[in-house]
Amino acid sequence: MPEFINPNKLRIARLVEIEGVTAEEIYSLLAVPQDSEMGDYALPCFRFAKALRKAPQAIAAELAQRIGDNGFCKAEAVNGYLNFRLNKAMLARDTLNSVISLQDKFGDSEAGKGKTVCIDFSSINIAKPFHIGHLSTTVIGAALYRVYKKMGYNAVGINHLGDWGTQFGKLIVAFKKWGSSEDLNKRGILALTDLYVRFHSEAEKDPALDEEARRSFKSLEDGDAEATGLYNLFKEITLKEVNKVYERLDIAFDSYNGEAFYNDKMDPVLRDLEAKNLIVESEGAKIVDLSDYGMPPCLLVKADGATLYATRDLAAAFYRKNTYDFYKCLYVVAYQQNLHFKQVFKVLELMGAEWAKDLVHVPFGMVSLEDGTMSTRKGKVVWLSDVLDRTVEKSLAIISQKSPDLKDKERIAEKIGVGAVVFFALSNNRIKDIVFSYDKVLNFDGETGPYVQYTNVRCNSILRRAGNIEEILASPLTEEDVKGLDNKESEVLIALIERFPSILNDVLDKYEPSILTRHLIDIAQAFNRFYLEHRILNAEEEYKKGRLALVYATRAVLTEGLRLLGIQSPEEM
Ligand code: ARG
C-alpha cells in the first residue's frame, strides 16, 4: 500500500469489487490517464483477465455497468480500461474547501509517523571551494528533507563533511611556506583555495612537496598540536563561509558529523570484518573482495595503515543506525560515486547488517556552466556564492526595469535570484547532466522559478484587490458557489491542485523533487490559462466566490510547493 492515501482514489478503489482482489490492490493499479479526456483515474483490466478468464474489454464493460454513475463518479469502459470521471462540481467544492481550511497544511500527512529518515546531503569538503558541483546535492537533499517532514517523518539532515584526508597535509605545508594568518583572516576561504592551488602547481615542479604533505598529514593524525591548530582554523574558516550560503538557501543541518568524526570509530568495524573473515590482505593493504558481485575490491586500509573514504562510510553507517535507528538512510551524492556506494552497501550486507537494504544512494548528474566546467586544482572554480550573487544582480536589473516603482527591490531580487538557481537545479530528472544559463533560469516566461513566483504574485494581487478575501471565503463553498468553475480551464487547474498531496508522495517514492517542480509549472500554466479566459474580480456575482476561491487555493499550493523546494514567494515583484 502506498504511504499516502488519496481519499477520492480510495473511494473509487472500494467501488470496484473483483473477487480475490483487495481494495488495496485496486488502489495501487488506479492510474491517472495521460490524456485528461479519458477521465481522472483508469483501471487497466487486463490485469485480471487471467484470473477471471475473461477478456479485459468484457471485464471493464461489466464493471462499468455495475458502477455506472453514482453521483460521486461515473465509470466508463474504454478498450479494456475502466475509466472514472469524478463529479466535477463535487471535486471542485471539496478540493477548494480543503485547501482553504488547511492552507499550508494541505498535503500534510502522518504517513511517516514514527519513522526516521537520515539524509546525507551537501556534504561539502573543508578547505575546498563550495562550488557549483555541490548545488544539486544541497538543494535536492534539502527538498527531500522538507517533503519528508511534511509527510510526518522525522528527518535528520546530515552534512557528512569532507574534513579529513591528505589535502590537509598539503594545506598545512602550503600555509607554512606561503601563507599568513593575516591573509587567512582577511580573505578567508579564498586564501585557502589559493594555497591549495599554489600547492598543486608547485608540487608539479617539486615532487618532494608531496612527501612533505604526507608527513604533515601524519603529524595531524598523530595529534600534533600545531597541525591540529591549523586544521581547526581551516575548518572554522570554511564553515563560516559555507554557512553564509546555507543561510541564503534557508538550509540547516541536524548534524555536521563528517569524516573526521569517524576517526576513532573505524577500528571496531575493521575488527568485525576480520572476525567475519571478510578482509583479505593484498600487497599489505586490507580489502574486501567483491569479485563474486562483479565489483572491484573495496579498499579499506592502505599498506601504510591509512584508512579510506569507504572505511569512514562503513563506520558512519553503523553509527547512524545505532544513533537514529533509521527507517531509511539516503545519500544524495553525484553518480560518479555509484560504485563507491554499491561497494559500501555490499560490504555491510556481507557483514550481516540486515538494514543495509535501507540504505539508498540518490545519484544526480553534473551541473556545468555554458562556458564549460571547473576544476579545483587548476583554480578555475565556479563558486556557488558567485553564481547566486550574479543571478541576484541580474534579477535586480530585470525587476528594476519591469517595475521601477517596486519597494524593497534588493530583498525581492534576492528571493528571485536565489529561487531561480534552486528551481533550475530541481527542474530536471536528477540523473541528467544540466547546463546552467543565467538567461534561461531568469526567463520570466519560461519554465522557471521566476515564472512560478510571478504567477503567485498575480494571485496575490487579485486577492488583495478583492478586498475582504478572508470574509468572502469564511463560509465553506457549496456546489452553487462553484458554478463559475464549470469550464475546461478551471477543471484542469482544480485537478492539478487536488493531486498535490499525491505528487508529494511520488517525490519521496522516486527521491525526485523535479516531480514537484514540474507540477508547480503545470499549476502556474493552468492558472494563467484560467486567468486569461475567465473574469474573476468583475465576474458575474454568482461566479465570483468560486473563482476567487480557486485563486486562493492556487496561491496556497504554489507558495507551499515553492517552500518545499526551498524557494521563497515574494509578495510583489
Ligand atoms: N564530500 C563528498 C564529496 O564532496 C561527499 C560525501 C558524501 N557522503 C558520504 N557519506 N560519502 O564528494
Side-chain angles (χ1 to χ4, degrees):
M1 194 85 186
E3 285 157 354
F4 163 79
I5 313 292
N6 177 319
N8 289 329
K9 195 171 159 186
L10 185 62
R11 195 158 157 198
I12 291 176
R14 292 197 172 130
L15 288 172
V16 182
E17 287 168 30
I18 301 177
E19 229 188 279
V21 187
T22 64
E24 278 82 2
E25 285 169 77
I26 304 278
Y27 182 96
S28 64
L29 288 172
L30 281 170
V32 178
Q34 288 284 342
D35 176 2
S36 62
E37 290 295 317
M38 300 308 286
D40 299 289
Y41 292 101
L43 183 71
C45 292
F46 57 86
R47 298 293 193 115
F48 317 112
K50 213 164 146 204
L52 298 179
R53 295 197 208 167
K54 263 186 216 160
Q57 289 81 348
I59 302 173
E62 271 170 41
L63 287 168
Q65 209 195 0
R66 207 179 60 225
I67 298 167
D69 185 351
N70 58 14
F72 163 68
C73 69
K74 195 166 134 206
E76 276 166 0
V78 181
N79 298 331
Y81 281 84
L82 181 62
N83 293 345
F84 292 91
R85 230 173 271 283
L86 292 165
N87 174 326
K88 291 292 181 277
M90 223 157 83
L91 184 70
R93 185 199 62 192
D94 294 351
T95 304
L96 295 180
N97 279 336
S98 126
V99 182
I100 291 166
S101 69
L102 293 168
Q103 310 224 15
D104 58 342
K105 304 220 164 28
F106 179 64
D108 281 17
S109 88
E110 300 212 334
K113 207 169 167 194
K115 292 182 190 145
T116 295
V117 174
C118 292
I119 311 174
D120 178 327
F121 71 103
S122 198
S123 299
I124 49 120
N125 300 316
I126 296 295
K128 287 191 193 165
F130 191 173
H131 59 75
I132 192 164
H134 278 101
L135 172 63
S136 300
T137 168
T138 306
V139 298
I140 292 172
L144 292 175
Y145 181 89
R146 295 188 200 92
V147 178
Y148 271 113
K149 284 214 152 163
K150 189 170 174 70
M151 304 288 274
Y153 290 82
N154 173 33
V156 180
I158 303 175
N159 198 327
H160 185 79
L161 296 176
D163 54 1
W164 205 248
T166 45
Q167 80 260 32
F168 289 99
K170 295 175 185 171
L171 270 175
I172 291 170
V173 170
F175 177 77
K176 286 200 197 156
K177 285 195 191 304
W178 313 296
S180 75
S181 310
E182 254 168 38
D183 191 32
L184 273 195
N185 284 334
K186 206 167 80 209
R187 294 197 306 129
I189 191 143
L190 287 176
L192 277 184
T193 32
D194 280 354
L195 287 173
Y196 194 69
V197 171
R198 174 125 183 226
F199 181 91
H200 281 280
S201 66
E202 303 263 352
E204 262 171 38
K205 290 173 261 166
D206 178 9
L209 282 175
D210 282 319
E211 188 43 44
E212 221 177 300
R214 254 192 297 279
R215 279 202 304 274
S216 280
F217 182 57
K218 182 81 174 65
S219 64
L220 179 63
E221 283 188 302
D222 295 341
D224 173 78
E226 188 193 16
T228 308
L230 285 174
Y231 166 82
N232 285 332
L233 179 65
F234 299 157
K235 192 163 162 177
E236 196 185 306
I237 289 174
T238 313
L239 284 179
K240 201 167 125 203
E241 194 63 34
V242 296
N243 278 329
K244 285 189 210 152
V245 178
Y246 290 141
E247 240 166 69
R248 292 178 86 175
L249 298 173
D250 198 16
I251 292 175
F253 295 89
D254 301 291
S255 162
Y256 281 92
N257 287 337
E259 297 192 40
F261 179 77
Y262 298 102
N263 273 340
D264 61 356
K265 296 176 182 62
M266 288 175 280
D267 254 0
V269 180
L270 290 168
R271 277 202 304 273
D272 194 22
L273 280 161
E274 307 258 14
K276 292 183 169 135
N277 277 326
L278 289 165
I279 295 256
V280 185
E281 299 259 348
S282 160
E283 297 168 33
K286 292 184 179 174
I287 63 166
V288 177
D289 177 19
L290 296 174
S291 55
D292 282 355
Y293 311 97
M295 285 185 255
C298 184
L299 179 57
L300 295 179
V301 184
K302 286 201 244 176
D304 64 4
T307 51
L308 288 107
Y309 182 53
T311 331
R312 295 165 203 289
D313 260 329
L314 290 177
F318 282 106
Y319 177 83
R320 289 174 190 173
K321 185 64 197 174
N322 291 332
T323 309
Y324 304 110
D325 192 23
F326 55 72
Y327 152 77
K328 267 182 195 170
C329 176
L330 316 187
Y331 298 80
V332 186
V333 186
Y335 64 60
Q336 280 86 347
Q337 295 190 29
N338 278 355
L339 176 62
H340 165 76
F341 285 106
K342 266 170 82 181
Q343 291 177 310
V344 168
F345 296 172
K346 183 50 96 182
V347 172
L348 288 164
E349 185 193 313
L350 294 174
M351 292 176 80
E354 53 81 29
W355 43 267
K357 63 177 190 338
D358 306 324
L359 306 173
V360 188
H361 177 208
V362 179
F364 54 83
M366 255 174 11
V367 183
S368 57
L369 260 75
E370 277 173 313
D371 55 3
T373 34
M374 67 260 113
S375 132
T376 319
R377 296 202 177 169
K378 302 215 180 72
K380 269 198 300 176
V381 179
V382 184
W383 295 72
L384 184 51
S385 56
D386 288 344
V387 172
L388 293 178
D389 286 347
R390 229 176 121 190
T391 318
V392 169
E393 215 174 276
K394 285 178 184 271
S395 318
L396 184 60
I398 296 174
I399 56 174
S400 303
Q401 201 200 2
K402 275 192 197 259
S403 350
D405 301 329
L406 198 63
K407 281 196 226 73
D408 235 353
K409 288 199 197 64
E410 272 79 18
R411 212 174 43 90
I412 293 171
E414 170 78 14
K415 292 184 186 177
I416 298 174
V418 172
V421 174
V422 174
F423 197 93
F424 159 77
L426 297 174
S427 287
N428 290 297
N429 194 320
R430 64 177 151 72
I431 207 68
K432 281 201 188 145
D433 290 336
I434 46 179
V435 180
F436 182 91
S437 139
Y438 289 100
D439 292 337
K440 270 198 205 125
V441 308
L442 282 173
N443 180 352
F444 279 44
D445 302 314
E447 299 183 345
T448 63
Y451 172 72
V452 178
Q453 285 172 323
Y454 189 74
T455 307
N456 208 17
V457 164
R458 179 171 273 171
C459 294
N460 264 334
S461 108
I462 298 169
L463 296 171
R464 225 180 7 247
R465 278 185 285 144
N468 46 349
I469 188 67
E470 309 294 334
E471 227 168 274
I472 298 175
L473 300 179
S475 62
L477 299 167
T478 62
E479 259 180 73
E480 277 301 297
D481 289 329
V482 296
K483 281 223 157 73
L485 304 177
D486 184 11
N487 51 65
K488 187 80 204 147
E489 293 75 26
S490 305
E491 279 170 14
V492 170
L493 180 54
I494 291 164
L496 289 168
I497 292 175
E498 193 259 348
R499 219 172 291 143
F500 180 72
S502 27
I503 288 290
L504 300 181
N505 195 55
D506 295 348
V507 167
L508 296 188
D509 232 29
K510 304 199 166 69
Y511 313 109
E512 185 64 86
S514 69
I515 296 174
L516 175 56
T517 316
R518 310 298 315 171
H519 196 68
L520 296 187
I521 292 171
D522 290 345
I523 292 180
Q525 289 175 342
F527 175 81
N528 288 319
R529 251 172 254 133
F530 160 74
Y531 172 81
L532 275 182
E533 292 294 327
H534 303 282
R535 287 182 295 163
I536 303 171
L537 288 170
N538 53 0
E540 294 85 333
E541 218 29 61
E542 73 225 82
Y543 290 168
K544 216 162 145 182
K545 179 170 175 182
R547 292 201 182 146
L548 280 170
L550 183 52
V551 178
Y552 191 89
T554 303
R555 179 181 68 174
V557 171
L558 287 182
T559 308
E560 177 62 358
L562 287 173
R563 182 193 71 81
L564 290 168
L565 297 175
I567 298 168
Q568 302 197 38
S569 303
E571 271 288 306
E572 294 175 279
M573 62 193 262

